[in-house]
Amino acid sequence: MTTALPCLDETLDTETAGAKATALARLAAAGLPVPAGVVIPAGHPEEQLAAATREVLARCPAPYGLIARSSSAAEDGREASFAGLFTSRIVPAKPAALLDAIRAVRASAHHPTVTAYGQAMGVTGLPRMAVLVQAVLRPACSGVLAAAVTGGRCTRWRIEAVRGLAEQLVSGHVVGEIHVGGPGHSATVRPATQEVIQLPAKEHELEIPPGEWVGLGTVAGTRAKIQTSSAGVLHLYTPAALADQPALTAAARAQLLTAAARAAEALGLERVDVEWVIDADGSLHVVQARPLTAPLTDHTAVRTAADDDPVLHGIAVAPGTGTGPAVHAVGDAGIADQVLVCDALGPEAVPALLTGPAAVVATTGGELSHTAIITRELGIPCVTNVTDAHTAIATGTVVEVDGGAGTVRPAPTVPAQRTSPQTQSLSATAVLVRALGQPVPDDGRAATLLWHDEHTPALDLAGYGSHGPHPVGLLVTGDFSAPVTVPPGCSPIRLPGLGMLLWPQDAPPPPTEIAVLGPDGQVLHRRTVTRRPPSDSSATRRR
């Protein structure tokens, strides 16, 4: 007899339901407004996912679609958040779309970026990944709150809010409306200009062409023009009637602060990070709560610039100072001791951040964006929302970044470079790379693995086995719901937790250790893998 999937009105366990779902279940038990959700536990058999998908659809009415969310046992920790590194996906409430989303969330736990970050933060082993599925809420506004909580009250806090979905806020692509308060201070509000509102759509709304209008449902008679739609989400131009109105009212802010303090108490936290939604009816929903891994930045230490000392100003998000030459792109060698000037950073940037940059300057994003959270956790000084950074800071210009004051200024010299860790032997190691170099580095490596995922263009593997002085294989990540094409002369080998290795048949067996290297050849992380032939469920086909 099949056991029903657990849901958020039950007592959950982190090892099977993951940290996100378990925390939300505790909040729901404490009486906080948590949307209903169904959990597909970690380790749920692949062959039972289709049945689990049907059960979720039967239990989750979803006029605006469903969201499949990561709920790993490793994420949302007190020191390591894994913020933005796992996949979440909004999809229509249809079996095939939901099944694909569940598989994508599960597969994201095995991404090499996740492994690299986990190693850097002292998290060992592969994250166990559960999937939390909930009906998507249609928000009037949403965002993130970070607060220190003492005596049942938020004593120092920051809220960032946008109209509609908060994805563009947490990803760092926009800076939302900012509310800040603390002991002895009244709340201050920094308005924001929001050009586009993202809203989950009903199925028929996705068929409405760009340039047409839809009702927002938040203010009587207010409509918005469609810019485009994709992945179940409408992108709407902000109506002029809302442009000068606050996204988050004072009354809603007070309600949110009360809920955040209650969430911190329920989870036993002194610092809390809460994601929230206020729907069209004005009802508050808590959609995530976790420890705030690093305190909010102290913005008091602002240096005054001399008239002849040009300074760029942004939002201080990660404290400390860093000085180095500016770089606007990440090369194969990493960005050690350099200042990365960038737009919003996605998960693919984390390996570069692990190579030891002096600082980060981002053109957009706020203090509660994923860029800010990850740089604080890694101890990298960071300033965001320096809107003209790309044009004002030329490549190679030496700058000093003050992540506590929110400033970027010219610097006369580069400080002494940090000493790289001693290079370790690679004689029994396969080195994982994103692109094959010419020539292959003469560093004693046993083999090279070329990383290929669903976002990488299709590759012609002919001749890869004889590339350079040692074997070269292809690591194809994913959970292989479709067969993998194996080129002539290669054999498929399953690497549990990583993907499928396509290995030249005329080469010795592949090494059991895989490493990612940083600049100067130092090992950023290693892991040992086991090998097994592909199962029947992931049968291969030959070209």
Side-chain angles (χ1 to χ4, degrees):
M1 178 176 175
T2 302
T3 303
L5 296 172
C7 57
L8 296 184
D9 61 3
E10 304 175 22
T11 300
L12 301 180
D13 173 72
T14 301
E15 284 301 307
T16 56
K20 183 180 297 172
T22 301
L24 287 176
R26 291 174 64 183
L27 299 187
L32 281 136
V34 174
V38 178
V39 178
I40 299 172
H44 195 78
E46 167 69 26
E47 61 271 18
Q48 296 180 19
L49 285 184
T53 298
R54 293 191 294 271
E55 180 180 340
V56 170
L57 290 170
R59 294 170 59 182
C60 290
Y64 299 108
L66 295 164
I67 181 167
R69 310 176 67 196
S70 67
S71 185
S72 164
E75 67 185 302
D76 294 353
R78 291 179 181 265
E79 296 180 356
S81 66
F82 287 81
L85 299 188
F86 297 122
T87 295
S88 291
R89 186 175 292 180
I90 294 176
V91 294
K94 296 182 178 180
L98 180 57
L99 181 58
D100 285 347
I102 291 169
R103 285 173 168 159
V105 174
R106 284 159 59 108
S108 68
H110 308 308
H111 198 285
T113 292
V114 170
T115 303
Y117 167 86
Q119 292 278 4
M121 300 304 296
V123 178
T124 58
L126 279 173
R128 288 175 53 80
M129 178 63 76
V131 182
L132 170 62
V133 183
Q134 297 170 289
V136 180
L137 300 171
R138 180 123 157 179
C141 67
S142 59
V144 186
L145 173 149
V149 180
T150 306
R153 295 177 61 248
C154 293
T155 52
R156 182 167 177 247
W157 48 269
R158 182 183 183 91
I159 302 170
E160 296 180 5
V162 292
R163 299 187 189 282
L165 294 169
E167 191 282 330
Q168 55 186 334
L169 176 75
V170 297
S171 65
H173 288 91
V174 302
V175 177
E177 181 179 280
I178 299 173
H179 299 241
V180 179
H185 300 283
S186 59
T188 59
V189 180
R190 172 178 166 172
T193 300
Q194 185 176 346
E195 297 180 355
V196 176
I197 298 173
Q198 295 182 354
L199 284 182
K202 293 183 177 179
E203 188 171 353
H204 76 274
E205 290 176 327
L206 295 173
E207 300 174 357
I208 302 175
E212 296 297 324
W213 298 78
V214 294
L216 287 179
T218 53
V219 179
T222 301
R223 301 189 305 160
K225 183 180 287 189
I226 298 175
Q227 181 191 69
T228 186
S229 60
S230 63
V233 174
L234 293 172
H235 298 249
L236 308 172
Y237 294 105
T238 301
L242 300 181
D244 296 328
Q245 297 183 24
L248 181 68
T249 66
R253 182 179 67 217
Q255 183 185 14
L256 177 57
L257 288 168
T258 299
R262 291 177 58 198
E265 181 180 10
L267 298 177
L269 302 175
E270 296 180 351
R271 297 196 308 259
V272 68
D273 178 321
V274 176
E275 292 188 23
W276 51 271
V277 168
I278 295 176
D279 64 21
D281 297 327
S283 299
L284 172 67
H285 305 268
V286 176
V287 296
Q288 185 166 345
R290 62 188 180 191
L292 182 64
T293 52
L296 293 172
T297 303
D298 184 354
H299 300 277
T300 58
V302 179
R303 288 164 41 183
T304 302
D307 292 340
D308 59 350
D309 183 13
V311 178
L312 301 176
H313 293 270
I315 297 176
V317 303
T321 59
T323 302
V327 59
H328 291 252
V330 178
D332 292 339
I335 49 175
D337 301 305
Q338 300 176 81
V339 173
L340 176 62
V341 180
C342 58
D343 299 320
L345 294 177
E348 70 283 350
V350 170
L353 297 182
L354 295 176
T355 64
V360 172
V361 178
T363 60
T364 186
E367 191 169 354
L368 305 184
S369 66
H370 292 153
T371 299
I373 293 171
I374 294 296
T375 53
R376 281 198 296 272
E377 290 176 357
L378 296 177
I380 303 169
C382 181
V383 177
T384 63
N385 202 39
V386 184
T387 55
D388 56 348
H390 280 308
T391 55
I393 306 174
T395 298
T397 302
V398 179
V399 294
E400 178 197 79
V401 178
D402 189 329
T407 58
V408 184
R409 67 182 71 233
T413 59
V414 180
Q417 302 297 300
R418 292 187 288 270
T419 302
S420 297
Q422 172 117 18
T423 301
Q424 302 177 49
S425 172
L426 301 174
S427 60
T429 303
V431 176
L432 187 63
V433 299
R434 292 305 299 260
L436 291 174
Q438 287 283 5
V440 174
D442 184 18
D443 54 9
R445 67 180 67 181
T448 295
L449 300 185
L450 182 61
W451 175 19
H452 175 83
D453 60 25
E454 59 183 348
H455 304 296
T456 307
L459 297 172
D460 182 2
L461 302 184
Y464 275 18
S466 59
H467 183 94
H470 59 269
V472 175
L474 183 73
L475 178 62
V476 185
T477 61
D479 59 356
F480 309 108
S481 55
V484 176
T485 299
V486 180
C490 288
S491 297
I493 301 172
R494 287 298 302 269
L495 301 182
L498 281 177
M500 182 78 75
L501 175 62
L502 304 183
W503 186 251
Q505 294 174 348
D506 57 357
T512 57
E513 182 179 73
I514 295 177
V516 174
L517 305 185
D520 303 325
Q522 76 266 26
V523 176
L524 293 180
H525 66 275
R526 295 178 185 259
R527 66 167 290 184
T528 301
V529 296
T530 56
R531 305 187 295 260
R532 67 169 183 254
S535 64
D536 292 340
S537 61
S538 59
T540 58
R541 58 174 181 262
R542 302 215 172 245
R543 296 195 301 186

